[in-house]
Amino acid sequence: NRKSADWFMRRVDAAGVYWNASTRFADGFRYGFGAEIGVSTNKTHARGPAGLESLTIYKYYMFGNGQASTDYGVGDGKRSFLHEDIPLDSVRDKFVL
């Protein structure tokens, strides 16, 4: 029931907690953050000088009704990727090799 789910979800030490929803929603892109470039498993993630925003740790609650995420790929019932090729020459000077 909802009361038990709320009790449990508030006590779990995790970045995302789900009730009656697929954990496949646990994705930076699906959260609206764009492509993931890394996932922190530390309690705090800031290093060096940090302001309030970088010291803030978020917890995401997902309440569902049995929904599942859609598979990406090619074919019926699949969502298409939005990836675009980036020419290497256009980004070569942005990296230290």
Side-chain angles (χ1 to χ4, degrees):
N1 67 29
R2 176 66 183 252
K3 185 178 178 182
S4 296
D6 284 339
W7 181 90
F8 176 80
M9 292 170 76
R10 295 197 185 284
R11 284 158 181 79
V12 171
D13 184 13
V17 290
Y18 305 85
W19 177 45
N20 202 19
S22 172
T23 56
R24 291 182 66 193
F25 286 110
D27 178 75
F29 183 77
R30 292 181 194 269
Y31 283 156
F33 301 143
E36 291 180 14
I37 58 171
V39 176
S40 174
T41 58
N42 295 323
K43 293 287 184 183
T44 58
H45 52 276
R47 289 182 56 115
L52 180 60
E53 182 176 328
S54 60
L55 294 175
T56 303
I57 298 174
Y58 297 94
K59 182 172 184 175
Y60 300 91
Y61 293 85
M62 173 76 71
F63 295 90
N65 193 21
Q67 292 91 341
S69 65
T70 303
D71 285 332
Y72 283 85
V74 178
D76 291 339
K78 307 260 183 188
R79 296 183 65 183
S80 60
F81 290 105
L82 300 177
H83 299 164
E84 297 177 12
D85 289 337
I86 300 173
L88 182 59
D89 288 338
S90 71
V91 295
R92 187 179 306 277
D93 63 334
K94 308 232 185 306
F95 299 94
V96 177
L97 301 177

